[in-house]
Amino acid sequence: MVNCTRITPYSEDFVKGLIPVERALFVGFFLIAVITCGIFIELWVYLHKNISCQIIKDKTLMVLGLFPVISIACQLGTTVPRAATLVDLVIAVYTGISLFGFFHLTVAYLGGQNELLDKLQFLETPMSVGPCCCCCLCLPKLKITKKVYTILRVSISQTMILLPVLQFINAVLWADGKYYKEALDVHNPLFYIGILMTISTLTSLYVFNLLMRGSFQIAERTLNLVPKYATIILCMVITTLQPLIMETLTGYNVIPCWSSFYWEGRASEMDHMLKILEMFILMLVARRYYRKPAPVLPMSFENSLQETPYMAE
């Protein structure tokens, strides 16, 4: 078995050390990243031709941009191993932006903030939702008033600010060369940064689920909110939990040093490779549900018993 080292190779040394099979694999990942960007461009053209509402158009592009941005960033991270932490910073920044963009996209779908509150005031949203309180069935139901809506919006937007800041601190500590993700313990500040990032992500997802649960009761069939929301959630889970899993596996030598991956940062390299493939799959799923004209919903309804009529696309 190759002895592991903490010295991350330069891009030139890393590329030269690849065996033919690994070179073919890298070319394959590059092509997948290019195809992902191509699908995004095709959706961009479709949206500009078929969506008249500028807000929906802009927010949709902001959300869909998550997949090609991560693909391109990860492709650079696999080619330049020393840029792995900077790549994670870019991913953290745009993931927060995309989640917040989807929040505003949902509001725009339902007619804007005022119309959304008018529709949700008749509904009671259960607070026993994932990922934090799915087992707490005793929690009361929540009515989304203007005050509650403001709290929900702040709780979601904190991810857009906190995750990039924590990831930036992570990059600074990494650049100093004293701390490594592969040696996480209570004396390593990266350990606490990881905890804060996880808490921030879980809080944002829980609050977002509260809002989406109410939105699903209004317009799920016409807007396909569940699959659209699922792609964003899966992307956040991948970007947050997958690196932790990979680092744990390499830390216990489940993924040993081998061939060109002879340094301890191989977990990050493999994580970026997997993300390129995963973003391609999520881009295909998103294309299926976003490449449809957005139906016009009734702007209000009188009570919680009145059903929103289904409108054919």
Side-chain angles (χ1 to χ4, degrees):
M1 183 179 65
V2 180
N3 291 327
C4 294
T5 175
R6 284 186 172 178
I7 301 176
T8 304
Y10 290 96
S11 58
E12 183 178 358
D13 297 332
F14 174 68
V15 173
K16 287 182 178 179
L18 294 176
I19 62 177
V21 174
E22 293 171 342
R23 289 176 183 268
L25 191 62
F26 267 71
V27 172
F29 282 121
F30 173 77
L31 293 176
I32 291 175
V34 170
I35 294 173
T36 302
C37 295
I39 296 174
F40 172 76
I41 294 174
E42 186 265 342
L43 280 172
W44 181 83
V45 173
Y46 172 84
L47 291 172
H48 275 275
K49 289 182 178 180
N50 296 275
I51 303 297
S52 58
C53 179
Q54 190 63 38
I55 296 178
I56 292 180
K57 185 190 305 181
D58 293 341
K59 299 303 179 184
T60 302
L61 289 173
M62 181 187 297
V63 172
L64 293 176
L66 178 65
F67 309 114
V69 166
I70 293 180
S71 294
I72 295 173
C74 290
Q75 182 61 45
L76 294 175
T78 56
T79 307
V80 187
R82 286 178 172 265
T85 303
L86 298 179
V87 167
D88 292 337
L89 174 60
V90 172
I91 292 175
V93 170
Y94 202 88
T95 299
I97 293 175
S98 182
L99 179 65
F100 199 59
F102 188 78
F103 169 77
H104 284 286
L105 178 62
T106 303
V107 174
Y109 275 153
L110 300 178
Q113 177 177 322
N114 293 332
E115 291 296 334
L116 174 66
L117 294 176
D118 288 341
K119 295 169 183 177
L120 293 181
Q121 66 178 329
F122 301 108
L123 303 175
E124 291 185 342
T125 303
M127 298 181 64
S128 55
V129 298
C132 302
C133 303
C134 54
C135 298
C136 302
L137 302 179
C138 58
L139 291 177
K141 293 185 176 181
L142 178 69
K143 284 190 175 182
I144 302 180
T145 61
K146 186 174 182 179
K147 181 178 180 180
V148 173
Y149 172 84
T150 302
I151 296 175
L152 295 179
R153 181 176 178 177
V154 172
S155 300
I156 294 172
S157 61
Q158 56 85 21
T159 303
M160 186 173 61
I161 300 173
L162 190 58
L163 284 184
V165 170
L166 292 174
Q167 192 62 49
F168 176 75
I169 297 174
N170 186 10
V172 171
L173 294 175
W174 166 81
D176 192 40
K178 295 181 180 179
Y179 304 103
Y180 298 88
K181 293 182 180 180
E182 291 75 18
L184 294 180
D185 54 46
V186 293
H187 303 292
N188 191 334
L190 299 184
F191 174 76
Y192 300 101
I193 291 177
I195 292 178
L196 290 176
M197 292 180 66
T198 302
I199 293 175
S200 174
T201 302
L202 292 178
T203 301
S204 180
L205 291 179
Y206 172 72
V207 173
F208 205 94
N209 281 340
L210 287 177
L211 177 65
M212 295 305 296
R213 181 66 69 89
S215 301
F216 292 161
Q217 298 179 58
I218 298 174
E220 161 48 22
R221 288 197 302 169
T222 54
L223 296 175
N224 296 305
L225 288 178
V226 169
K228 291 178 180 178
Y229 180 53
T231 57
I232 300 297
I233 294 301
L234 286 174
C235 192
M236 289 199 67
V237 170
I238 288 171
T239 56
T240 304
L241 296 182
Q242 183 171 285
L244 180 61
I245 295 173
M246 298 296 291
E247 289 160 11
T248 302
L249 293 177
T250 55
Y252 287 97
N253 209 34
V254 176
I255 302 178
C257 293
W258 57 280
S259 186
S260 303
F261 302 91
Y262 56 85
W263 71 97
E264 289 191 352
R266 66 192 182 281
S268 180
E269 186 80 4
M270 296 177 183
D271 171 55
H272 290 157
M273 291 180 181
L274 285 175
K275 283 177 181 174
I276 294 174
L277 179 59
E278 291 159 348
M279 292 306 108
F280 169 71
I281 296 174
L282 290 178
M283 184 81 255
L284 290 177
V285 175
R287 180 186 181 277
R288 176 181 179 183
Y289 293 102
Y290 280 96
R291 204 179 188 280
K292 296 179 180 180
V296 179
L297 295 175
M299 298 305 291
S300 61
F301 55 92
E302 296 178 357
N303 55 65
S304 60
L305 299 179
Q306 181 176 344
E307 296 182 355
T308 303
Y310 177 74
M311 304 186 68
E313 299 177 350

